Amino acid sequence: MTGTVTALFRDDFYLSTCEARVTAILEGGGIELDQTCFYATSGGQPGDTGFLEREDGSRIDIVETRHGANKDVIVHISADGAPVPAVGEKLVLHIDWPRRYRLMRMHTACHLLSVVCPFPITGAAVGEEESRVDFDMSETIDKDEVTAGLMKFVEENHPVYVQWITDEELAANPGIVKSKNVRPPMGLGRVSLVCIGENSSIDSQPCGGTHVSETQEVGAIHIAKIEKKGKENRRFRIRFATPEDGVAV
């Protein structure tokens, strides 16, 4: 029987381990738990990988985390050939923290990009090495200028935090949604607003992803490429910078 899971990552992006009990075993290696720190694929951010530790010390490798029939259900997909736990079994969850942290840094960088380039967002994908954000825009813009704008926000080290509003409050203020084709994470009774800067002075937008707690943690990033994807669509590719990129690291 599948059921609602307590998604601990929604209130603590830095929680990398927790205890949980198995509530259901699904076909295809799916495991449901009563609570989890594993982020499920959503809004352009990949789900977490890692492993589940059993009481005897053995482990069940998790290769993907995704939602089930709705956002209340989170399914942990185990590797082929992994042991199958019993319903009711207690496990200790361990996410792949270095991977998650890179995704948190990248996702926060995407938010900063939406400030530097204040155009409607038509698509986005967060990755460990490269992320992309598509904007509804026809203007020509210099990628080095965009990089400088991003790094200015990073170096100023603004706080990044979450505020919660109700579904009804979001419905009454649709203008705060920057994305043209991705719905905010509604349906759970409350919606998370990711805020950057004191009193949201830099940005505030609905987002259910995970982020770092201050912009300095994003580190050195740069716009590697701006691609024309139609008359009024531009794709920005963000990458972590190296000294060869001409960005201070």
Side-chain angles (χ1 to χ4, degrees):
M1 175 69 72
T2 61
T4 300
V5 61
T6 300
L8 301 173
F9 59 81
R10 292 193 180 117
D11 293 298
D12 186 354
F13 299 150
Y14 289 82
L15 183 66
S16 63
T17 184
C18 70
E19 292 185 351
R21 289 192 180 276
V22 178
T23 57
I25 300 296
L26 311 177
E27 291 185 7
I31 301 171
E32 292 185 23
L33 306 165
D34 62 345
Q35 63 177 14
T36 185
C37 55
F38 277 59
Y39 179 82
T41 300
S42 183
Q45 180 176 329
D48 283 323
T49 59
F51 66 95
L52 313 180
E53 182 183 357
R54 309 181 81 180
E55 290 190 329
D56 64 2
S58 63
R59 53 191 276 172
I60 302 167
D61 289 329
I62 299 300
V63 297
E64 180 187 358
T65 308
R66 62 187 184 217
H67 287 289
N70 55 59
K71 295 290 187 180
D72 287 336
V73 179
I74 294 177
V75 183
H76 308 74
I77 307 299
S78 59
D80 290 342
V84 180
V87 172
E89 184 174 340
K90 186 169 73 171
L91 304 169
V92 179
L93 285 58
H94 302 268
I95 67 173
D96 181 342
W97 175 250
R99 176 179 179 272
R100 157 73 88 79
Y101 189 56
R102 287 180 73 85
L103 292 170
M104 288 166 58
R105 292 167 59 203
M106 271 292 198
H107 202 152
T108 307
C110 291
H111 282 245
L112 293 176
L113 178 58
S114 74
V115 178
V116 176
C117 299
F119 302 94
I121 297 171
T122 58
V126 181
E128 296 175 64
E129 304 300 331
E130 177 183 278
S131 296
R132 66 167 176 83
V133 181
D134 298 346
F135 292 100
D136 182 358
M137 60 180 288
S138 57
E139 288 83 351
T140 299
I141 192 166
D142 182 76
K143 64 184 179 69
D144 292 335
E145 290 182 8
V146 177
T147 293
L150 289 172
M151 289 307 301
K152 180 176 183 291
F153 284 132
V154 170
E155 291 161 0
E156 288 173 346
N157 200 24
H158 300 282
V160 183
Y161 56 96
V162 169
Q163 290 184 333
W164 294 94
I165 61 173
T166 65
D167 288 355
E168 292 74 21
E169 287 174 319
L170 177 58
N173 296 278
I176 64 175
V177 180
K178 294 186 178 182
S179 176
K180 292 183 66 175
N181 54 11
V182 177
R183 293 184 59 194
M186 298 178 66
L188 300 174
R190 63 176 187 164
V191 178
S192 57
L193 291 181
V194 175
C195 305
I196 302 176
E198 297 290 347
N199 300 314
S200 307
S201 58
I202 304 299
D203 191 37
S204 175
Q205 60 179 293
C207 181
T210 61
H211 306 81
V212 294
S213 63
E214 53 188 17
T215 58
Q216 184 173 278
E217 290 183 65
V218 171
I221 51 173
H222 72 121
I223 300 300
K225 186 184 296 186
I226 301 175
E227 302 168 330
K228 186 176 181 179
K229 293 293 183 178
K231 185 177 180 181
E232 295 186 353
N233 195 59
R234 299 292 183 271
R235 174 167 294 174
F236 289 66
R237 295 192 179 276
I238 311 174
R239 294 177 187 165
F240 289 119
T242 65
E244 291 74 25
D245 298 315
V247 178
V249 178

